[in-house]
């Protein structure tokens, strides 16, 4: 079955460390997105990509980086410049005018 | 003004009740709209897509009012399993084509 897979499910980061969250989809979707959700908050867009080798900053891109070298993959790196990275990270993909399909998320905690 | 605004609730209703949520949006050019449900500590899941004036799927009805720039979700005959947070998401147009703007969500609890 087609779907969107995020890994790992839980991730612990030490202060000053960079970590990379994986997002892979086999839905043949062109666009992919990264959102962050904090407790009691809405979804905030970090980065998005509408085609391979192209991506745009969302509303809260500072301290994050992405790449889109393959259609299926859109990894997110949380750098040490992100001062408050503890959150629930959601990856999504879409095609045309359809709605998003979300992955099951990664919970990142700073220890 | 925020792109999307929703009443955060919580809405607490008994089983079998009818409940409605409203969502207002600021981009008058938005052409498509989506309702998602999100269970606690889970990812949002697509509940309904709206491309014209509305959509109906079983107990769920979405209605779009373009003049007033709001979209509503009506749930009839509420079930315990309907307890979740409901997110409204209009699609951007122009330079933000393709991007969905999410509201903070409306929390619903259905009690027995």
């Amino acid at each position: 079955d087609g779907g969107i897979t995020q890994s790992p499910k839980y991730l612990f980061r030490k202060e000053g460390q960079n970590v990379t969250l994986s997002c892979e989809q086999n839905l043949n979707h062109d666009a992919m997105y990264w959102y962050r959700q904090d407790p009691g908050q809405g979804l905030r867009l970090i980065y998005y990509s509408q085609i391979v080798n192209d991506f745009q900053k969302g509303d809260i891109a500072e301290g994050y980086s992405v790449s889109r070298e393959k259609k299926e993959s859109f990894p997110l790196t949380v750098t040490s410049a992100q001062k408050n990275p503890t959150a629930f990270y959601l990856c999504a993909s879409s095609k045309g005018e359809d709605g998003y399909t979300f992955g099951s998320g990664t919970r990142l905690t700073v220890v | 003004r925020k792109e999307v605004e929703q009443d955060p609730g919580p809405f607490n209703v008994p089983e079998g009740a009818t409940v409605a949520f409203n969502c207002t949006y600021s981009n008058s050019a938005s052409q498509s709209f989506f309702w998602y449900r999100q269970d606690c500590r889970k990812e949002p899941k697509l509940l309904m897509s709206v491309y014209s004036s509305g959509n109906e799927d079983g107990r769920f009805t979405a209605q779009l009012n373009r003049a007033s720039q709001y979209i509503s979700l009506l749930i009839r005959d509420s079930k315990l399993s309907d307890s979740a947070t409901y997110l409204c998401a209009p699609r951007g147009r122009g330079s933000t084509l393709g991007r969905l703007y999410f509201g903070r969500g409306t929390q619903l609890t259905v009690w027995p």
Side-chain angles (χ1 to χ4, degrees), chain A residues 2-7 22-27 32 34 72 91 102-106:
Chain A
I4 182 166
T5 302
Q6 289 186 243
S7 62
S22 171
C23 179
E24 303 275 335
Q25 54 98 1
N26 61 1
L27 298 165
M32 297 187 74
W34 274 105
E72 300 80 15
C91 180
F102 282 91
S104 57
T106 293

Side-chain angles (χ1 to χ4, degrees), chain B residues 47-61:
Chain B
L47 179 67
M48 190 168 289
S49 305
V50 182
Y51 298 102
S52 57
S53 60
N55 195 2
E56 184 172 334
D57 183 5
R59 298 182 295 110
F60 299 86
T61 301

Side-chain angles (χ1 to χ4, degrees), chain A residues 3 8 11 20 31 40 57 60 62 65-66 82 84-85 87 103 108:
Chain A
L11 186 58
T20 297
K57 292 182 179 180
I60 56 163
E62 186 175 348
S65 66
V66 293
Q82 173 47 242
N84 186 21
L108 174 62

